[in-house]
Amino acid sequence: MGVGPGPAGAGSLQKDSKVAAAKGQAVTASRKQVTMKGLYFQRSSTNEKITFVFQERETLPVAEDNYVKLQVKACALSRINTKLLAEMKMEKDFFPVGREIAGIVLDVGSKVSFFQPDDEVVGILPLDSEDPGLCEAVRVHEHYLVHKPEKVSWTEAAGTVGDGVRAYTALHYLSRLSPGKWVLIMDGASALGTIAIQLAHHRGAKVISTACSPEDRQYLEGLRPALARVIDVSGGKAHVAESCLEETGGLGVDIVLDAGVRLYSEDDEPAAELQLLPHKHDILTLLGVGGHWVTTEENLQLDPPDSHCLFLKGATVAFLNDEVWNLSNVQQGKYLYILFFY
């Protein structure tokens, strides 16, 4: 016949259960209390002033099926397009700062198929992300990430992925770059311009670029493979159209990637920085038959004579807005291909 536990044994069991419960509560409490800081920006009521603030955030586990939690190793500070956010109805009281990130996967959701813990990844957070890239850890859908190449550093990965997507979009999807074509890349010493030059040379194109300062010209002339011509516009006297037509034997260039254009005369646009930009008529003049003009000027205005000139040349104008990849799931496959290629 078995012997049941005595009073002393029952007390010991009760004590052990209380200790275990206390430990469980302590662990739960400690998890709830773990926080980290993230950087956000806030606009004033008059939309004239932007203030950057750090906010405390709880470190939450991965809850969604297709989401990845990663430790941020590097984050790029890119321009915040407040106008686009307002037009997309995405304005918030506090908007997260930093979208181009590189890091190590900490945890994955149950339906994640591309990644596993300890993978090194790079990507761009979507416009509607609640997490700032300038934080210790973020959660992001797996479709916004790709594996980071082993030989690329964290800083290089985060610092180039944004402009890499823009350059690839401009040259491969909006203008159909191919070997032997003439490409004019405005402000080639900028981040976007430098990457675009490398992509164009990689595809066997002949590249012309503009320099906005003597230092930029020296930098561009030192690139290898060498550019076909560097046009120094810092003095305000260079004729971009004439230089391009001279270099191409009067045929014009096949692809133009601008860094903004002047829409009006010098008297109507007296700002010094605008004088370094070509006039829209210069672009139309130097564009060859069947050419593609990829513009970053969101307010580009073409008059009927301008449109007629494009018609006679069979040329096209495309607007470079790399955010379109994340605004429709239909484009997700192409977007991932660009991230993976770059």
Side-chain angles (χ1 to χ4, degrees), residues 322-339:
D322 50 296
E323 297 294 350
V324 297
W325 296 118
N326 293 328
L327 298 180
S328 173
N329 292 331
V330 176
Q331 306 291 342
Q332 197 67 51
K334 293 181 180 180
Y335 178 65
L336 286 176
Y337 175 81
I338 295 174
L339 286 178

Side-chain angles (χ1 to χ4, degrees), residues 290-303:
H292 302 280
W293 175 11
V294 181
T295 182
T296 59
E297 179 55 61
E298 60 185 53
N299 296 316
L300 178 66
Q301 300 177 22
L302 295 178
D303 300 322

Side-chain angles (χ1 to χ4, degrees), residues 228-307:
R229 176 176 289 198
V230 176
I231 306 171
D232 190 348
V233 299
S234 60
K237 298 180 180 180
H239 299 284
V240 177
E242 294 180 6
S243 299
C244 289
L245 291 174
E246 178 183 348
E247 188 65 36
T248 60
L251 298 177
V253 300
D254 302 294
I255 298 171
V256 177
L257 174 57
D258 71 34
V261 294
R262 285 189 293 114
L263 302 179
Y264 311 104
S265 65
E266 296 182 1
D267 296 333
D268 296 330
E269 294 179 320
E273 61 273 13
L274 293 178
Q275 300 307 315
L276 300 179
L277 299 177
H279 194 277
K280 62 179 179 179
H281 293 157
D282 294 331
I283 302 295
L284 295 173
T285 300
L286 63 86
L287 194 63
V289 173
H292 302 280
W293 175 11
V294 181
T295 182
T296 59
E297 179 55 61
E298 60 185 53
N299 296 316
L300 178 66
Q301 300 177 22
L302 295 178
D303 300 322
D306 301 330
S307 300

Side-chain angles (χ1 to χ4, degrees), residues 163 167-168 171 177 183 185 191-201 207 257:
D163 287 306
Y168 197 97
L171 296 180
L177 177 67
V183 182
I185 298 175
L192 173 62
T194 299
I195 294 176
I197 289 173
Q198 294 178 17
L199 287 177
H201 276 152
V207 182
L257 174 57

Side-chain angles (χ1 to χ4, degrees), residues 43 65 75 93 96 108 157 182 224 248 260 272 295 304 340:
R43 300 202 66 167
D65 294 335
C75 176
D93 293 335
V108 298
W182 282 99
R224 295 295 180 270
T248 60
T295 182
F340 177 78

Side-chain angles (χ1 to χ4, degrees), residues 28-208:
T28 302
S30 65
R31 288 177 178 173
K32 291 182 178 180
Q33 293 172 359
V34 174
T35 60
M36 57 185 177
K37 290 184 178 180
L39 184 64
Y40 295 80
F41 82 87
Q42 181 183 26
R43 300 202 66 167
S44 64
S45 57
T46 58
N47 289 334
E48 295 179 354
K49 183 180 179 181
I50 293 180
T51 304
F52 291 90
V53 296
F54 282 101
Q55 287 191 338
E56 296 285 346
R57 302 177 58 253
E58 290 187 359
T59 55
L60 301 175
V62 176
E64 294 82 357
D65 294 335
N66 293 99
Y67 276 71
V68 174
K69 180 180 179 181
L70 62 92
Q71 177 188 4
V72 178
K73 303 294 289 186
C75 176
L77 279 177
S78 55
R79 183 177 67 91
I80 300 171
N81 194 336
T82 55
K83 182 179 179 180
L84 178 61
L85 294 174
E87 293 174 347
M88 298 299 299
K89 309 300 182 183
M90 291 184 177
E91 289 184 303
K92 308 174 184 177
D93 293 335
F94 295 93
F95 197 86
V97 175
R99 297 175 56 204
E100 296 93 344
I101 58 172
I104 300 175
V105 174
L106 299 176
D107 196 7
V108 298
S110 60
K111 294 184 179 180
V112 171
S113 56
F114 296 119
F115 307 102
Q116 57 186 2
D118 297 327
D119 281 351
E120 297 182 353
V121 298
V122 59
I124 303 176
L125 299 178
L127 279 173
D128 59 353
S129 173
E130 297 292 337
D131 298 336
L134 285 172
C135 194
E136 296 177 16
V138 298
R139 289 180 301 170
V140 58
H141 197 284
E142 65 172 332
H143 288 169
Y144 296 109
L145 300 172
V146 293
H147 288 92
K148 180 183 76 68
E150 183 179 353
K151 295 183 179 180
V152 177
S153 69
W154 298 114
T155 304
E156 291 170 342
T160 60
V161 65
D163 287 306
V165 169
R166 297 189 75 201
Y168 197 97
T169 300
L171 296 180
H172 289 269
Y173 281 99
L174 299 181
S175 56
R176 305 299 181 185
L177 177 67
S178 60
K181 287 192 173 182
W182 282 99
V183 182
L184 170 62
I185 298 175
M186 310 299 295
D187 193 10
S190 65
L192 173 62
T194 299
I195 294 176
I197 289 173
Q198 294 178 17
L199 287 177
H201 276 152
H202 178 72
R203 289 300 300 271
K206 293 170 286 188
V207 182
I208 303 172

